[in-house]
Amino acid sequence: MKRVHFILLYSALMLATLSACDKAPKGVIPESRMDDLIVDLCKAEAYMDLNPGEFSSDSSKMILKQSVFAKHGVSQTDYDRSIEWYANNMDTYSKVYDKAIRTLNNERKHLNKKSQEEIHSTTVASAVTAAKGYYPSVGDSADVWTENRTWMLTSNYLQGYITFDFTPDGESRRGDRYKLSLKKLGFGSRFSLLLAAEYRDGCSSVVARNSSFDGWDEMSLQCDSTRETRRVYGFIRYSIRPFTVAYIDSVSLLRTHLAPKQYSSFRLQKFIPNKQNAK
């Protein structure tokens, strides 16, 4: 009997402790529940963006959103009232939002652990298969990307760069072609891409453009066949909408050797001469 009393007392103390951690007043969704609600709302937004055909109307979007509220036992009014309070208590909201982002990130890492190798191998294999029409050997193609292949970007950073810069290895050749490929889910966020090669004589070839749409994207750079490449570099610049999350996935940088059929393709590419040599 004493053990039962002890368990009841311990449970009451734990509930009191958890309640004390919440700063939200009565009528506002507490912090301990708000972060889980934000996680599910983010998932719902992602699902709608990935399936635009199913959610072409505001009513269909509202039905999904209401189902999330029902799961958490709150209403749209409860949510709106709570968001208004959190907007006036940004320190508290930042903690809640950061916890939600960590949860999403951990879930994504768990899924990526199972699927990333499969996605990457499929992406590279398809690119190599396509290259066989131009190259006599599969060994002529290589994915030279060395950074993370998956990124979760939060509005805490708003703007920033994912950069890369490397010296070509012994397998590189004059006239190599580099193709940057990635998959984006931005929820209205903005991206821009730059890919460049700097040659031994100080000249450079550069290709850059904005990339605002979601889904697969790729951009190619054709190196000059008369010059030796000293370094290859570039960036993925992002500008994240407030209170949203953006994803970059399956990043690769495929290097292929000189292909006469493709060499004349210089879409959006610019050649920058060495200013010292131009004098």
Side-chain angles (χ1 to χ4, degrees), residues 50-69:
L50 288 172
N51 299 275
E54 296 181 32
F55 300 95
S56 57
S57 64
D58 291 338
S59 59
S60 60
K61 295 177 181 178
M62 183 57 67
I63 290 173
L64 179 59
K65 202 171 182 180
Q66 291 297 336
S67 69
V68 175
F69 290 146

Side-chain angles (χ1 to χ4, degrees), residues 39-111:
V39 167
D40 283 345
L41 286 174
C42 285
K43 291 178 180 178
E45 289 286 345
Y47 184 79
M48 287 187 286
D49 282 352
L50 288 172
N51 299 275
E54 296 181 32
F55 300 95
S56 57
S57 64
D58 291 338
S59 59
S60 60
K61 295 177 181 178
M62 183 57 67
I63 290 173
L64 179 59
K65 202 171 182 180
Q66 291 297 336
S67 69
V68 175
F69 290 146
K71 173 186 175 182
H72 291 267
V74 300
S75 65
Q76 179 74 57
T77 302
D78 296 331
Y79 177 72
D80 292 340
R81 181 172 55 243
S82 299
I83 284 295
E84 183 178 353
W85 182 85
Y86 280 104
N88 292 316
N89 295 269
M90 287 305 296
D91 288 345
T92 302
Y93 182 72
S94 293
K95 294 178 182 178
V96 171
Y97 186 78
D98 287 346
K99 185 178 179 183
I101 295 303
R102 285 196 299 271
T103 300
L104 286 168
N105 203 12
N106 288 335
E107 290 184 7
R108 186 170 180 78
K109 286 179 179 178
H110 177 72
L111 291 174

Side-chain angles (χ1 to χ4, degrees), residues 42-43 46 101 104-105 108 112 150-153 182-187 189 191 214 240 245-249:
C42 285
K43 291 178 180 178
I101 295 303
L104 286 168
N105 203 12
R108 186 170 180 78
N112 284 340
T150 302
W151 303 77
M152 181 175 181
L153 310 169
L182 64 152
K183 186 177 182 181
K184 306 189 307 300
L185 182 59
F187 305 112
S189 298
F191 297 88
D214 287 342
I240 309 302
V245 180
Y247 301 95
I248 295 177
D249 196 4

